[in-house]
Amino acid sequence: MCGPALDMMQRGFKIDTYQRNVQISRLEKEVVKVEGILNQYGMATWEKPIKARSPFLKELFYTFYNLPEQFRFDKGERKVTVNREALEKLSAYHHVLPIINAILTVRDTAKLLSTIRTEIDPDGRMRTSYNVAGTETGRWSSSSSVFGSGTNLQNITNEVRRMFIADEGKVLCNIDEEQAESRVMGLLMWSLIGDPSYLLANESGDVHTAVARLCWPHLPWNGEILHDREVAERPFYRHFSYRDMSKRGGHLTNYYGTPPTMARNLKIEEKVAAEFQLAYFKAFPGLREYHHWVAREIGLHQELTTPLGRRRIFFGRPGDDATLREAIAYIPQSTVGDILNCALWRIWRYCPEAQLLAQVHDSICFQSDESDLPRAIANARRLATFPLRMNGKALVIPVDAKVGWNWADETIKTSRGKVHNPNGLSKWKGSLAGRKRLSGVHSMVA
DNA sequence: ATTCCCAGCGCG
DNA sequence: AAAGCGCGCTGGGAAT
C-alpha cells in the first residue's frame, strides 16, 4: 500500500489559490462580525465576552441562565454538554435564542475557515500523510503531511472540495463504490444466514425505494421505476418520506442502532422509529440473525475474519453491547476498505495514465490528460470491478465515475443556500459531452 | 512557554 | 442502562 500512498503524498492536490483567498476573506469577515455580536450579547448579559467554543458556555447556560442541563453519552458516561443538539433544544427558551444562533454560526463558520486556511505547500498544492496501517478495520487514515502542511483529506466537505482542482490540461475523475457497505451487508446476510432479500433489494437499482416497498407493502406500488419512486417519496411522517426513512433508518438499523438513537438523529418520535424497525426486521429477517451470528462468534472466539481474510481480535468484554456493536460494523467497513484499496493498488500499478490524488475510504480521485481520459476511466473501472466471494456466494460492487475540474459536486449546498459549480463533478457518460473547463469569473456562478 | 486534555465536529 | 463504527483536527483552558 505504500506505493500508491507515497505516490499521492508526493504529488499533492492542486489548490485554486484565488478561490481559496476569496473564501478566506469572506468567511473571516463573517466570523469577525458574528463574534462581535456575540461579545455584545455577552457584555450585555453576564458582563463577559461569549466565546462560541469555550467550556464556560456551560456556566453561561446552566448556571447564569439556570436552564435545564443537557447531556450526552460518552463511552457509557453521562456528560453535560453544550453541543449543537443541546443548544438546539435550549433554543426553546427564546430569551437565549439570539445567543444560540450566533454561537452555532460562529462554530460552523470557524470550522469551515480552519479547513480552508490549511497551509498549502509553496508549489500551490495541498499534501497529506496517509497512514496505511493506522486503524482497527484496515482502512487508511489521513493527517497533515510530514512537513506539517496540509491536513486530513478524508473529512473535507463538499463546499471545501471546490478549491481542490485538476492541473492545467488535466481532468479530475472521482470513482466511487456504489452503496458498498450496504451491499456487503447483503452478502453477509445471504452467505452466512441464507437470506438473499437485502442483497436483492440493493441490486434492484434504487435500494431505498426497494426497502420502502418491502417495509410498507400496502402502498400502491406497481413495479414501474418512476412510479414507485414517486410513491416512496410521499410523506411518511412530517418532512420525512418513506424513502428518507428507508435510507437513514435502514443504515442505522443495520449497525444495531436503537429507536432512541434513530429518534434523535432523524428528529422523529421514538414510537415511529420503533415501528419502522419492526417493519425493517420483518422485511429482512437475515439482519437480526446476522447480529446474533456476530454475538455468537464474539462470545465463542472474540475474533472475526472478513471475506478478504482480515482478522480482528476484540479485546472488549465479549458480552458487552459495545463490543457487539464494534463487531457488527467491522466486516462491512473493513471489507469495503480492502476492496477499494485493492482497486487503488491495481490502478496505481496498471493504469499509468491515471495520476492518483486522494483516497477517501470508498472512493478514489485521480486526474488524466483530457486525451487519455476515456481510456483511463475505462481501465480504472475495469481494475476496480471484481467479485467478492464468501461461502460460495459472490457479489460485484458497481463503480460509479464522475468527472470535472474541481473536486466538488456541480451543485454545492452551503449554509446560505445552493451554489452552482460549473467546473464540478458530474456523471461520466463516455465523453465530456461538450463540457469545457471554465476559467475566472465564469467558474463561479452564484 | 510548552504540553496535555477535552469538547465539538467533519468525513466514510 | 444505554442508546451504529471508524478516524483526525482545532480552540480553549488546565497542567506542567
Side-chain angles (χ1 to χ4, degrees):
Chain A
M1 292 279 82
C2 287
L6 278 167
D7 194 37
M8 292 187 283
M9 288 154 71
Q10 291 191 304
R11 178 170 299 116
F13 207 144
K14 175 97 172 159
I15 297 294
D16 180 341
T17 47
Y18 176 76
Q19 173 75 13
R20 178 170 177 267
N21 292 336
V22 168
Q23 295 288 347
I24 288 175
S25 44
R26 186 178 61 80
L27 294 170
E28 271 174 349
K29 276 184 203 134
E30 164 126 10
V31 171
V32 168
K33 188 180 94 189
V34 186
E35 276 178 345
I37 293 170
L38 203 47
N39 279 333
Q40 292 200 343
Y41 288 152
M43 298 317 286
T45 54
W46 74 343
E47 296 174 340
K48 276 180 276 184
I50 296 173
K51 291 187 183 181
R53 312 175 68 164
S54 163
F56 290 119
L57 287 185
K58 292 192 185 79
E59 212 174 289
L60 174 69
F61 287 111
Y62 303 134
T63 307
F64 183 78
Y65 279 113
N66 205 21
L67 299 179
E69 290 187 323
Q70 305 294 313
F71 298 92
R72 71 188 170 89
F73 279 93
D74 184 18
K75 291 170 211 127
E77 230 187 313
R78 195 159 166 266
K79 289 181 172 173
V80 176
T81 176
V82 286
N83 65 16
R84 166 173 284 274
E85 196 188 342
L87 295 188
E88 280 172 354
K89 286 220 177 90
L90 293 180
S91 62
Y93 298 88
H94 37 269
H95 55 298
V96 293
L97 181 60
I99 296 179
I100 288 173
N101 284 338
I103 290 172
L104 293 177
T105 301
V106 170
R107 282 186 188 167
D108 283 351
T109 313
K111 172 99 179 170
L112 198 59
L113 190 54
S114 80
T115 321
I116 295 177
R117 261 199 191 131
T118 301
E119 184 188 343
I120 54 181
D121 290 331
D123 58 359
R125 310 182 79 80
M126 176 92 76
R127 287 191 176 72
T128 189
S129 177
Y130 286 110
N131 184 345
V132 303
T135 70
E136 297 287 346
T137 57
R139 277 181 171 188
W140 291 8
S141 66
S142 162
S143 58
S144 53
S145 79
V146 282
F147 298 110
S149 65
T151 185
N152 179 355
L153 284 196
Q154 292 174 324
N155 67 349
I156 304 293
T157 58
N158 199 42
E159 191 174 356
V160 180
R161 286 186 185 196
R162 169 66 186 76
M163 71 183 194
F164 288 76
I165 58 174
D167 283 289
E168 203 54 46
K170 302 205 185 272
V171 186
L172 287 188
C173 175
N174 206 78
I175 63 173
D176 181 270
E177 311 261 358
E178 288 181 54
Q179 298 293 334
E181 281 192 23
S182 176
R183 286 172 199 266
V184 170
M185 196 59 114
L187 178 66
L188 291 169
M189 287 159 63
W190 185 27
S191 68
L192 293 170
I193 311 298
D195 174 12
S197 59
Y198 192 57
L199 188 57
L200 290 172
N202 270 281
E203 299 197 333
S204 71
D206 178 2
V207 59
H208 309 305
T209 297
V211 168
R213 275 187 71 156
L214 288 161
C215 290
W216 296 280
H218 59 277
L219 295 175
W221 314 104
N222 70 4
E224 287 169 32
I225 294 170
L226 288 176
H227 171 266
D228 284 358
R229 170 114 188 192
E230 181 270 311
V231 173
E233 280 174 350
R234 291 183 190 175
F236 165 63
Y237 180 78
R238 290 199 212 151
H239 54 294
F240 264 93
S241 68
Y242 291 96
R243 197 170 176 280
D244 291 332
M245 276 304 295
S246 301
K247 184 176 178 179
R248 300 181 56 189
H251 187 64
L252 213 55
T253 309
N254 288 347
Y255 291 118
Y256 210 59
T258 57
T261 312
M262 194 183 298
R264 265 217 329 270
N265 290 351
L266 277 57
K267 304 191 192 313
I268 58 176
E269 283 168 27
E270 213 172 299
K271 206 183 77 194
V272 178
E275 247 170 67
F276 167 79
Q277 287 210 333
L278 217 60
Y280 193 77
F281 280 119
K282 199 172 161 206
F284 309 111
L287 181 58
R288 252 305 165 243
E289 291 186 58
Y290 169 68
H291 293 162
H292 289 152
W293 178 86
V294 172
R296 215 156 44 235
E297 290 296 309
I298 296 304
L300 287 171
H301 313 296
Q302 284 140 53
E303 68 174 60
L304 287 175
T305 303
T306 72
L308 293 173
R310 192 182 288 275
R311 176 169 161 248
R312 173 172 170 189
I313 299 172
F314 293 85
F315 294 102
R317 295 193 184 203
D320 272 6
D321 243 25
T323 314
L324 178 59
R325 288 194 305 272
E326 288 170 4
I328 285 170
Y330 169 62
I331 297 183
Q333 198 171 109
S334 169
T335 304
V336 170
D338 280 337
I339 288 175
L340 190 277
N341 283 334
C342 182
L344 179 73
W345 185 88
R346 296 172 72 173
I347 292 167
W348 169 73
R349 178 70 179 75
Y350 298 117
C351 186
E353 58 270 34
Q355 293 185 340
L356 298 172
L357 295 169
Q359 186 266 32
V360 192
H361 307 305
D362 69 348
S363 72
I364 297 168
C365 188
F366 65 79
Q367 64 176 9
S368 287
D369 284 326
E370 190 170 329
S371 56
D372 287 335
L373 190 66
R375 198 155 40 90
I377 294 177
N379 280 334
R381 268 188 145 145
R382 178 176 53 77
L383 293 165
T385 309
F386 47 83
L388 170 69
R389 296 177 207 285
M390 189 177 195
N391 291 345
K393 310 284 196 279
L395 160 73
V396 176
I397 299 174
V399 178
D400 170 69
K402 287 182 177 163
V403 292
W405 291 270
N406 67 56
W407 200 19
D409 292 331
E410 274 190 312
T411 303
I412 302 173
K413 284 183 196 151
T414 74
S415 51
R416 300 159 309 283
K418 287 181 182 175
V419 177
H420 184 49
N421 169 29
N423 275 340
L425 299 172
S426 70
K427 194 167 176 60
W428 172 251
K429 293 171 180 158
S431 75
L432 281 175
R435 289 191 70 194
K436 280 207 170 65
R437 183 176 202 157
L438 301 176
S439 58
V441 70
H442 302 294
S443 67
M444 303 191 305
V445 183

